[in-house]
Amino acid sequence: MTGIVTRPVDAAIADRLADAGLSPFFARIYAARGISSPAQLEADIKRLIPPEQLLNARKMAALLADAITEHKKLLIVADYDADGATACAVGLRALRGFGANVDYLVPNRFEYGYGLTPEIVKLASAEKNPDILITVDNGIASIDGVAEANRLGMKVLVTDHHLPGDALPEAWCIINPNQPGCTFPSKSLAGVGVMFYLMLALRAELRKRGTYSDKPEPNLGALLDLVALGTVADVVKLDDNNRLLVQHGLQRMRSGRAHAGITALFNAAGRDVRRAGAYDLGFVAGPRLNAAGRLTDMSLGIECLTTDDPIRAANIARQLDQLNRQRRDIEADMQESALASVENVEPGYTLSLFDPQWHQGVIGILASRLRERFHRPTFAFATAGNGELKGSGRSINALHLRDALDLVSKRHPDLILRFGGHAAAAGLSLSEHAFEKFSIAFEAVARELLTPGDLDRELVTDGSLPPEEMTLANASALADAVWGQGFPEPRFYDRFEVASQRVVGERHLKIRLRRGKALIDAMLFGHADPLPGAIEATYRLTANHFNGATTLQLILDHWLPAG
């Protein structure tokens, strides 16, 4: 069941924003998203929360400064998603700029799994022989891996943003806004954001030591396009601090100052990096980068982000684009088999699915698609090849997925081998024979934590849009703003007459809608069947760039026949 809900607006705050100079249109939009002061929208990078507020940032910066002075060998151990890849690239570029001897290692998810495992530590020791390991976007749960590194004489610096478990690893130093005792106001930093903050702290430490008294210092602002990509691709909440990071990253892209790899990712997708928006980071560049980690090895993605050679970047981006096409084909087959398996099954409060033919690197996307379709917390499992199953889960707003897994684990101590994640997404490992038991246990926990009403889908909109505000100027201004998780792009809900419609690209509808006397172009993607003469629809305002012209276009998200 799908309900249309209008996002509430505090009229007094909207009036105050309008009095401060915002248009009534944007005053309503921002007030509905928790903005209470125009200062929250200012683009001054000085508004960033200071690095010293991040617990242990100064301490870790001093340790790294000493390591650089002493010519220690540093090794970044990265995660294999876009957040991990961008965090690794930020670390490599900044540390090399600071004069560090630094290399990286990214685990192959199919051989070693996630995080700083003992096996990865042994591989790092054998192949790279580092003095110091630096984790990015992982490590907070790597108790055994850190212990192995300590045993082998390597020190470990953990940089992570995932929620910690009951115990922390015995690392040399840990920075994570979500670790106990950290009062950093933004708990939503992505892994790349944590690494960027560490590099800000390291630059401050090197300044204090006089390193740049007689030479120019590296420009860390040049890394913000990488920070923006990783932040949006990891679907973390875009609070004020994260929006500021993303906004400055997008500004670099739009001004033609993006790194060669990011420009190449846009070009491979047929997109103009000078018109980059948050959508492009989450649904264009991010998936192509993620494809390397899902199907092969994220080293390819990291190389794309760390090369300054446009030709090499373009070659890698074409490979990533091809991998992404393969990923889409695999995903389509997996989705078809998943839908067939649940076609005649009445869904409970959750969905847990396993198929031995499914690809381990794509189960996260499959879980996301099924969650969207059925509005249920969903886990998809694949065979890991070592007597284990790997599961990837996505949740609805009403259920904190990691907390639910923690409850399952406490009630069934021998069931889950490993788990971790966030409120909306999590991963875990099971023994091959434990799938059914997990399905039952997860369903039982969800039934305790959810109500039947939580399973009803709600489409939250900004209500009806007055005709005089349905303009190209507003659409263009929306495209320039930063939208994403926790700060959703505006969607509206209105009644239209369908003046004309035709199928394009074999599976999309190009439509002319009439509202009053106005005719408006619209697109409905992934739907080729004809619409009735009148519809009610949720939609987004967009600026369509085609053949040198820019026109207003609506993107329909959901529709039903007009009553």
Side-chain angles (χ1 to χ4, degrees):
M1 181 178 177
T2 300
I4 308 297
V5 179
T6 299
R7 188 175 281 108
V9 179
D10 187 315
I13 291 178
D15 290 343
R16 188 159 68 241
L17 292 174
D19 290 342
L22 288 179
S23 70
F25 172 76
F26 274 102
R28 292 195 313 275
I29 293 297
Y30 284 130
R33 285 156 179 76
I35 299 297
S36 57
S37 165
Q40 292 177 263
L41 303 171
E42 292 176 1
D44 189 350
I45 196 68
K46 294 179 181 178
R47 286 201 308 113
L48 277 182
I49 300 167
E52 55 266 23
Q53 292 192 33
L54 188 61
L55 180 66
N56 292 333
R58 281 179 169 173
K59 176 183 177 182
M60 192 176 292
L63 294 173
L64 282 173
D66 290 342
I68 292 170
T69 301
E70 297 165 8
H71 306 291
K72 299 290 188 182
K73 293 177 65 176
L74 312 180
L75 183 70
I76 294 174
V77 181
D79 188 15
Y80 41 65
D81 65 0
D83 187 19
T86 52
C88 182
V90 165
L92 287 171
R93 285 183 173 277
L95 286 168
R96 287 169 179 169
F98 291 137
N101 176 7
V102 59
D103 200 351
Y104 78 94
L105 178 68
V106 58
N108 183 303
R109 73 192 304 157
F110 310 110
E111 295 181 38
Y112 295 101
Y114 169 77
L116 187 72
T117 62
E119 293 76 17
I120 278 296
V121 169
K122 292 173 185 174
L123 181 68
S125 178
E127 292 191 356
K128 306 290 186 176
N129 191 30
D131 299 301
I132 300 169
L133 298 176
I134 307 170
T135 71
V136 295
D137 194 30
N138 75 94
I140 198 66
S142 300
I143 293 173
D144 293 341
V146 171
E148 180 64 16
N150 291 338
R151 188 185 71 81
L152 293 175
M154 292 178 283
K155 298 184 182 299
V156 181
L157 301 177
V158 170
T159 80
D160 202 351
H161 69 124
H162 292 94
L163 297 175
D166 295 334
L168 297 180
E170 295 184 1
W172 200 22
C173 189
I174 299 173
I175 57 172
N176 181 334
N178 291 299
Q179 71 174 307
C182 185
T183 58
F184 191 75
S186 173
K187 300 300 183 182
S188 300
L189 278 179
V192 67
V194 175
M195 175 52 77
F196 182 69
Y197 261 82
L198 174 59
M199 295 301 100
L200 291 175
L202 176 55
R203 183 177 64 182
E205 176 66 23
L206 293 173
R207 282 173 177 169
K208 187 172 70 174
R209 298 184 182 197
T211 302
Y212 298 108
S213 59
D214 58 353
K215 61 181 178 180
E217 63 185 32
N219 175 19
L220 295 184
L223 303 174
L224 283 167
D225 58 339
L226 298 168
V227 177
L229 173 55
T231 298
V232 174
D234 209 46
V235 203
V236 294
K237 180 182 178 182
L238 293 187
D239 58 15
D240 288 359
N241 204 64
N242 277 341
R243 285 202 317 280
L244 193 58
L245 291 170
V246 173
Q247 185 175 6
H248 277 267
L250 287 172
Q251 286 175 0
R252 293 196 66 84
M253 298 178 206
R254 294 167 182 166
S255 64
R257 295 178 294 162
H259 284 96
I262 289 182
T263 299
L265 288 170
F266 273 75
N267 290 342
R271 308 282 287 202
D272 184 355
V273 73
R274 290 179 178 267
R275 291 199 181 109
Y279 174 89
D280 298 294
L281 302 183
F283 296 96
V284 177
R288 283 164 175 78
L289 189 59
N290 271 326
R294 293 189 186 283
L295 300 189
T296 56
D297 187 334
M298 186 47 94
S299 297
L300 190 66
I302 293 171
E303 291 300 315
C304 184
L305 299 177
T306 53
T307 183
D308 292 320
D309 181 349
I311 296 176
R312 174 161 168 72
N315 288 335
I316 297 174
R318 281 192 290 270
Q319 295 178 59
L320 293 173
D321 184 64
Q322 184 59 41
L323 286 172
N324 193 51
R325 294 173 190 272
Q326 294 176 26
R327 187 272 304 168
R328 285 201 298 256
D329 290 342
I330 293 169
E331 178 198 335
D333 291 341
M334 288 169 57
Q335 191 169 341
E336 183 178 349
S337 68
L339 292 175
S341 70
V342 299
E343 184 176 10
N344 298 314
V345 177
E346 184 68 25
Y349 278 53
T350 64
L351 280 174
S352 295
L353 300 171
F354 163 61
D355 189 313
Q357 301 303 315
W358 284 350
H359 194 292
Q360 186 187 142
V362 187
I363 51 175
I365 299 177
L366 177 63
S368 181
R369 298 285 188 262
L370 295 173
R371 184 274 317 271
E372 291 168 7
R373 186 181 184 99
F374 295 102
H375 198 64
R376 299 287 193 277
T378 300
F379 272 97
F381 288 85
T383 302
N386 56 353
E388 296 181 5
L389 302 182
K390 288 291 178 64
S392 186
R394 300 293 183 271
S395 193
I396 58 177
N397 289 337
L399 184 75
H400 191 297
L401 199 55
R402 189 201 171 278
D403 286 356
L405 287 181
D406 188 52
L407 193 53
V408 171
S409 179
K410 284 181 169 62
R411 291 182 179 176
H412 307 274
D414 298 325
L415 178 58
I416 299 177
L417 302 176
R418 294 172 296 279
F419 73 94
H422 300 293
L428 76 159
S429 296
L430 303 172
S431 297
E432 283 186 335
H433 59 80
F435 170 72
E436 291 296 338
K437 186 176 180 181
F438 170 79
S439 302
I440 295 168
F442 182 49
E443 175 74 12
V445 165
R447 284 181 179 273
E448 293 178 22
L449 301 177
L450 297 173
T451 68
D454 292 329
L455 304 180
D456 291 336
R457 187 193 314 273
E458 287 185 345
L459 292 177
V460 182
T461 77
D462 292 280
S464 177
L465 183 63
E468 64 272 16
E469 293 183 345
M470 192 179 284
T471 65
L472 177 59
N474 278 341
S476 298
L478 289 172
D480 288 338
V482 176
W483 313 104
Q485 182 71 16
F487 203 79
E489 182 179 5
R491 280 168 170 75
F492 307 96
Y493 183 66
D494 281 298
R495 185 187 190 280
F496 301 95
E497 295 177 19
V498 179
S500 66
Q501 55 186 309
R502 61 187 176 89
V503 177
V504 296
E506 298 185 355
R507 61 191 193 96
H508 313 298
L509 278 184
K510 186 171 180 60
I511 316 163
R512 292 274 277 175
L513 297 175
R514 180 177 286 110
R515 188 176 180 210
K517 295 181 179 180
L519 282 172
I520 311 129
D521 289 331
M523 287 294 300
L524 178 57
F525 290 102
H527 183 99
D529 296 331
L531 300 180
I535 62 172
E536 294 177 2
T538 63
Y539 62 92
R540 295 177 286 126
L541 284 185
T542 65
N544 182 39
H545 305 279
F546 184 70
N547 280 348
T550 304
T551 57
L552 176 67
Q553 180 175 263
L554 309 186
I555 304 296
L556 305 189
D557 297 312
H558 175 79
W559 68 273
L560 66 160

